[in-house]
Amino acid sequence: MKKIKLFLTSSLDKLEKDIQEFGAFIDSLNDNYQRLGIYFYLNISGENDPAEDLKAAANSELFYIIFHDEPQEKAKAEFEAAYNAFINKKTPKICTYYKKLDNKKQNKTVINFMEKLRNELGHYDSSYTHLDTLKLNLILQLKTLGLEHIKVDVNETSLLLDGQELMTLENIPIIFNNKNLSLLKNEFLEIEKEFMAHRALIKKNPDDDDLLAEYLGISGRKNKASEAIHNLQLDIIKMETSFLEKSGTGYISPRQISARQCLEEGDIEGAKQILSVDELELEEKRELEILEEHKKKIQALVGDWMQRVDVLIIDTQNENRFTEIEHSFEKAIKLEKEAGLERESQTKFVEYLIEQRYFDIALKHAQDYLKWAEIYYDKTEECLYRIAEILQNIGLISGYKFKFDDAEYFFKKSIDISDKINQSNQKIYNYKQCKMLNNYGEINFFQGKMDAAKDIFLKNVSLMQDEIVEKSFNRLRLLADTYCNIGMIYSHPTNYKTAQYSDAEHFMMLAKNIYSTLDYEDTYLYQIDLGQCYSLLGSLYLNKYQLVESEEYFKLALILLKKGANINPNFVEPYLMDLHRESSHLYYLLKQYTEGIEQVRCAIKIGKRLINLSFDTYIVGLATAYGDLGKMLSKTHQYTESIDNLIMAIEILESLDKEVYFTIEHNLGFQYYYISLSLYALKNYPETEKYYHKAINITERLFSTNPDAYREFLSNIYANYAILLKETSLFPEALEYCHKALSLRETLLNQTPDVIKYKNDLAKLFYDMGLLSKLMQEQEQAIEYFKQAFDLWETMDSESIGENKEFFTICKEKKV
């Protein structure tokens, strides 16, 4: 059982009630968490003899001192014992609270004690009017102690711990004083009034469609406002956790304390002013002039910049916050460099830039950090692992930029280091190594190395088995990610062997079950993880031609990923772009072309923004989306616009380096084929034939290396090219290409006899061969082909036959 030792000392009898309430709070936590192997052991000053109290204070993990008037000598001695222990072993974390009573001002002794905390010890202190402030501090400190599987969340009025209401938020100053939050809540109340008024009108006029539409619109605004309140409250809780983590290091400045006090009073602008760019740069200049004497102060100044990042993240009304975040990171990094400090802010900046998809800048900083770390870092396990992580980030960026040789090199170096460390300390580094392997597997998947990717992911599942027992949020989430990746490999006929849909569905459902039951502390993560999983399931059922199931999952995915994109567009929009494209394919098969066109236009809109972010990463996806739009437009007989979009796709793809973008040939084959269909509709037969030959040449080459991936597509090209040859009266040549398509479609149906589409396609091909034979005066052969088509269609219901019903009727008449 994990025992967490706390120590509480006080200086006034007036605080006896607070001490009792805090003790009762600890007891309630034990009631909930003993079943998880966690026990909170609270020592209260005065319950033991003074020597034992001094020892307990020094050996605690969290030390609380609360006072109003002058701290008594006993409390001061216990504080000194705890502080000396912190200097020597970085524990306990010290939490100092002054209680405001009866609106009295602090006396001089209290002020002197607090100034000593701040100026001499670099320690953080705070005030409180309600004990809920200390309770919140304790709950958030649990995260700093490594209890990551404990979930902290909020609802409209309360703080939740593992789904149970723990305390009201109305006693937490940093929450109830936040001006942005107040604005959102006022906005919500106004919408709520409007909502209730419209609901009353709907009851009186239930058949008024216009009124219903207004009501639904207001309902959507209400949900969005509620979600904005929830997200901002979570961001404030995260900021508070981040502040506590920094305050526990001993390097916190008076400026950070003052900024936090502004935030407690609801003054975001005041906090930003205290952390103003001009003031920080001025102090930076002063401190660098006396560098050796003030390294500790410079480290605190780095913390100021990093706290500015935290404040900006919750400043949701600031349109320039991402630019300001980058500037603050850069200032912190510059200070670390010039002061010769450890460059922790630079590694965090690399992770931030990768999440925001600024790969070029991220790569520059990662390489700069690596060059420094390999020279100046010591060889402790933690330092070596940080080098391994930055090597992994360089590999990840290289993969996103299609530089796969570089990605392979950096990932292997990273994994070599992590393997050696993990052997000596598996409990600490196993999870980190699994994260690294998961990213490496994704890069292999990205470049089409499916067998290698599958081996890596299966190894990852094996490594994580022992970790699952701990029920850690992050470990379970990583396991679900790995299940998703394995499912993608099994369901990906373009890159792997014959798609193994049942295995794919098994692993994706395992992932969905984990995502659905995880206690997400971060709504944003929940939306992205579950949204991506729904998207993958939608694609799986699309590949199986289970279109109803596919549409259901795509709609669920769109709801979640759109919400995630509102919070972090750079990170989520690439997934959203792919989802819109996949949805357009679904509606193409459902023959709902207007909806398909709308989906692919959404993908193009996102793609245009993303190529400004990283041209190399997203240009192929944008070109493919133009091709998808052209394909869809041809189905609504908008052939000229269809050809314009397909030519746009072709021109982009043909301009790119095939050595860099390994998917170009695959994409070009599709665009050549679909432009052939539109040109054929306009009866431009010479151009149609030109593009058919290009499509055939590419696809036959791809088929020779991976027949299972391209069998269906090549059969479609052959069958439609045969129709062109028939139209130009080249009947023997047309029949030759029908025979080529026939062998491919028979193989498809034999491999997956439950896919109705394959049976329908084969029947239609027999029908076309019957027509060709009839035109060539081969009546007996024509009747035989018509009979084979009829026999296949007769085993299908009317809905499955679809647009081929007319041909089925003809075959029925001609088969005898």
Side-chain angles (χ1 to χ4, degrees), residues 340-354:
L341 300 172
E342 180 182 318
R343 299 187 187 179
E344 184 177 357
S345 64
Q346 193 168 29
T347 61
K348 290 181 178 178
F349 191 37
V350 170
E351 292 168 1
Y352 169 79
L353 288 166
I354 290 175

Side-chain angles (χ1 to χ4, degrees), residues 1-6 26-27 29-31 33-42 61 147:
M1 178 171 286
K2 181 174 180 61
K3 180 188 278 188
I4 298 173
K5 292 179 284 186
L6 301 95
I26 297 299
D27 290 340
L29 289 179
N30 280 329
D31 290 341
Y33 288 103
Q34 284 188 65
R35 60 187 172 78
L36 297 178
I38 300 169
Y39 182 76
F40 301 93
Y41 184 80
L42 176 63
E61 292 177 78
L147 299 180

Side-chain angles (χ1 to χ4, degrees), residues 12-15 18 67-69 98-106 127-130:
L12 273 184
D13 292 339
K14 287 182 182 179
L15 301 181
D18 287 354
F67 58 94
H68 170 59
D69 290 332
Y98 165 81
K99 182 162 186 178
K100 297 178 181 177
L101 294 174
D102 306 323
N103 296 317
K104 294 180 180 178
K105 292 184 178 180
Q106 298 169 350
S127 60
Y128 76 102
T129 56
H130 195 284

Side-chain angles (χ1 to χ4, degrees), residues 176-200:
F176 68 72
N177 282 334
N178 186 279
K179 292 179 180 178
N180 287 344
L181 192 56
S182 295
L183 287 172
L184 288 174
K185 287 183 176 179
N186 288 336
E187 178 186 343
F188 178 81
L189 290 174
E190 291 300 316
I191 297 171
E192 176 78 8
K193 290 179 185 176
E194 192 178 353
F195 176 78
M196 296 303 293
H198 270 72
R199 189 162 73 176

Side-chain angles (χ1 to χ4, degrees), residues 99-371:
K99 182 162 186 178
K100 297 178 181 177
L101 294 174
D102 306 323
N103 296 317
K104 294 180 180 178
K105 292 184 178 180
Q106 298 169 350
N107 65 33
K108 188 173 180 180
T109 307
V110 171
I111 292 172
N112 290 339
F113 179 67
M114 290 179 136
E115 285 181 349
K116 178 182 179 181
L117 290 176
R118 298 178 185 181
N119 300 331
E120 294 182 27
L121 306 180
H123 184 73
Y124 163 66
D125 63 88
S126 186
S127 60
Y128 76 102
T129 56
H130 195 284
L131 197 69
D132 280 355
T133 299
L134 270 76
K135 294 177 184 178
L136 177 65
N137 176 281
L138 172 58
I139 295 306
L140 299 186
Q141 291 284 9
L142 299 181
K143 294 292 184 180
T144 73
L145 297 177
L147 299 180
E148 58 186 25
H149 55 292
I150 290 181
K151 179 198 172 186
V152 179
D153 199 355
V154 294
N155 60 22
E156 291 82 357
T157 59
S158 302
L159 184 86
L160 309 178
L161 190 63
D162 285 338
Q164 300 295 317
E165 289 196 5
L166 191 69
M167 69 181 77
T168 177
L169 294 174
E170 64 187 26
N171 297 318
I172 309 297
I174 205 163
I175 294 284
F176 68 72
N177 282 334
N178 186 279
K179 292 179 180 178
N180 287 344
L181 192 56
S182 295
L183 287 172
L184 288 174
K185 287 183 176 179
N186 288 336
E187 178 186 343
F188 178 81
L189 290 174
E190 291 300 316
I191 297 171
E192 176 78 8
K193 290 179 185 176
E194 192 178 353
F195 176 78
M196 296 303 293
H198 270 72
R199 189 162 73 176
L201 290 173
I202 285 288
K203 287 183 178 179
K204 295 178 180 178
N205 305 280
D207 298 324
D208 189 331
D209 291 342
D210 291 338
L211 190 60
L212 178 61
E214 289 177 15
Y215 174 74
L216 293 174
I218 295 167
S219 177
R221 284 165 45 216
K222 177 186 169 188
N223 291 337
K224 189 173 182 180
S226 175
E227 185 178 354
I229 291 169
H230 182 254
N231 288 337
L232 182 52
Q233 288 181 153
L234 276 180
D235 283 338
I236 293 169
I237 293 296
K238 287 179 193 174
M239 182 189 69
E240 183 73 352
T241 305
S242 174
F243 184 82
L244 293 176
E245 287 174 343
K246 284 181 285 190
S247 67
T249 66
Y251 295 112
I252 192 162
S253 72
R255 181 186 285 107
Q256 293 174 53
I257 295 170
S258 298
R260 185 184 179 281
Q261 288 171 340
C262 281
L263 293 171
E264 282 193 349
E265 294 166 7
D267 187 4
I268 290 179
E269 289 304 316
K272 287 166 65 178
Q273 185 59 40
I274 289 170
L275 300 164
S276 74
V277 172
D278 290 343
E279 181 62 28
L280 293 178
E281 288 180 343
L282 181 63
E283 184 172 344
E284 172 187 336
K285 183 178 179 182
R286 290 197 302 263
E287 295 299 336
L288 287 174
E289 290 172 356
I290 46 175
L291 178 62
E292 291 305 317
E293 299 177 19
H294 295 279
K295 267 194 175 182
K296 189 172 182 179
K297 287 187 177 180
I298 291 175
Q299 191 159 356
L301 185 57
V302 170
D304 294 344
W305 283 110
M306 296 305 289
Q307 189 182 18
R308 180 175 171 82
V309 169
D310 291 336
V311 172
L312 287 165
I313 286 172
I314 70 162
D315 186 16
T316 54
Q317 306 301 312
N318 182 356
E319 294 180 359
N320 299 317
R321 64 183 178 138
F322 289 114
T323 302
E324 293 183 28
I325 285 169
E326 289 179 21
H327 178 257
S328 299
F329 267 123
E330 287 167 352
K331 298 301 294 186
I333 292 165
K334 180 184 176 186
L335 274 173
E336 286 177 334
K337 286 182 177 181
E338 295 183 9
L341 300 172
E342 180 182 318
R343 299 187 187 179
E344 184 177 357
S345 64
Q346 193 168 29
T347 61
K348 290 181 178 178
F349 191 37
V350 170
E351 292 168 1
Y352 169 79
L353 288 166
I354 290 175
E355 181 175 303
Q356 295 297 318
R357 295 306 201 252
Y358 293 118
F359 298 128
D360 291 334
I361 307 172
L363 184 61
K364 175 185 173 184
H365 277 280
Q367 290 171 334
D368 180 57
Y369 177 87
L370 181 63
K371 183 178 179 181

Side-chain angles (χ1 to χ4, degrees), residues 666-707:
H666 166 82
N667 279 288
L668 273 174
F670 278 85
Q671 308 318 326
Y672 289 150
Y673 170 62
Y674 288 115
I675 199 171
S676 300
L677 298 180
S678 288
L679 288 164
Y680 174 80
L682 293 176
K683 301 188 182 303
N684 187 344
Y685 297 147
E687 284 294 297
T688 303
E689 184 158 19
K690 180 181 81 173
Y691 281 108
Y692 264 128
H693 280 300
K694 287 187 174 187
I696 289 169
N697 289 338
I698 286 178
T699 311
E700 284 182 340
R701 185 162 59 251
L702 294 171
F703 177 78
S704 68
T705 60
N706 193 347

